[in-house]
Amino acid sequence: MSSDDLKFMQHAFDLAIKAEQIGEVPVGAVVVFDGEIVGQGWNQPILAKDPSAHAEIMALRDAGQQLDNYRLLNTTLYVTLEPCPMCAAASVHARVKRVVYAAKDPRTGAAGSAFDLLPSDQRFNHHTCVNQIESTELVEKTSIMLSNFFRNKRNKKQEIT
C-alpha cells in the first residue's frame, strides 16, 4: 500500500461522513485514474429512492461521466466498506483494475468475507485485484463509524416500539 492509497481512502472516508449526515449508511467511494480522483460517491439509496445508489455505484457512474466511457480501464476504486455483490459485479463489468476497501463486511462482503466475487470468481471475463487497506487506524475508524450508525438505528427503533 502506498501513501496515495491512504490519501484516497481518507477522501472516501470523508464522503462516508457525508452519507451519515444525511441519514444514509456511512459508506464513501472514489475512483482514481492516473493519480487523480475522477469519480466519487456516497451511499444515497434512501435519498435517491434508488436501491442501486450505493457509494461504489455512484462513484463508478461519476467516473464514467468524467472519463466519457463506461469502461474504467486502469482505475482503482477506493471504498470504506467491502463491496456487496452488486457493487463488486459493477466494478468487474466496468473493468476496474483494483478495488481497495477498509472495513470487512461479514454479512454481504463480496471480496472474500461472505462471497468471493473479487477477484477469484473465474466465471467473469475480467478480473479485478482487491486489497484491504493496511492502515489499521483507518480500518478501525471506519468500523467504529459503521457500528455506531447501526447501533443508533437500533436504539431509535427500540424507542419507537
Side-chain angles (χ1 to χ4, degrees):
M1 297 272 144
S2 69
S3 61
D4 281 347
D5 286 337
L6 292 175
K7 174 179 80 171
F8 294 127
M9 187 60 75
Q10 182 61 54
H11 189 85
F13 183 82
D14 294 342
L15 294 171
I17 292 169
K18 280 180 101 165
E20 184 176 42
Q21 290 170 342
I22 60 171
E24 300 278 2
V25 176
V27 178
V30 296
V31 177
V32 174
F33 178 70
D34 279 347
E36 299 291 326
I37 294 174
V38 294
Q40 61 181 9
W42 53 92
N43 266 8
Q44 43 194 305
I46 298 167
L47 180 69
K49 297 172 183 63
D50 177 357
S52 70
H54 289 197
E56 300 95 322
I57 301 296
M58 303 308 287
L60 293 171
R61 287 176 180 162
D62 190 26
Q65 294 298 306
Q66 297 302 316
L67 296 174
D68 198 28
N69 198 335
Y70 72 102
R71 290 213 169 140
L72 305 177
L73 301 171
N74 298 313
T75 60
T76 299
L77 171 66
Y78 293 87
V79 59
T80 56
L81 180 64
E82 181 180 3
C84 71
M86 174 183 69
C87 295
S91 299
V92 170
H93 288 293
R95 307 296 195 267
V96 170
K97 184 176 185 176
R98 183 170 168 243
V99 173
V100 179
Y101 68 92
K104 287 185 177 288
D105 184 351
R107 290 185 175 193
T108 63
S113 291
F115 305 96
D116 206 8
L117 299 178
L118 291 175
S120 67
D121 196 314
Q122 298 303 310
R123 293 171 285 190
F124 289 124
N125 63 348
H126 174 74
H127 302 283
T128 299
C129 175
V130 64
N131 302 104
Q132 184 176 17
I133 196 83
E134 292 177 358
S135 166
T136 53
E137 178 187 343
L138 200 48
V139 170
E140 190 172 307
K141 278 177 31 177
T142 301
S143 297
I144 289 169
M145 180 171 42
L146 285 159
S147 294
N148 288 342
F149 176 83
F150 287 113
R151 183 179 309 109
N152 290 338
K153 284 280 191 196
R154 282 190 303 275
N155 289 343
K156 285 180 183 176
K157 193 174 185 180
Q158 289 174 353
E159 289 172 8
I160 293 170
T161 58

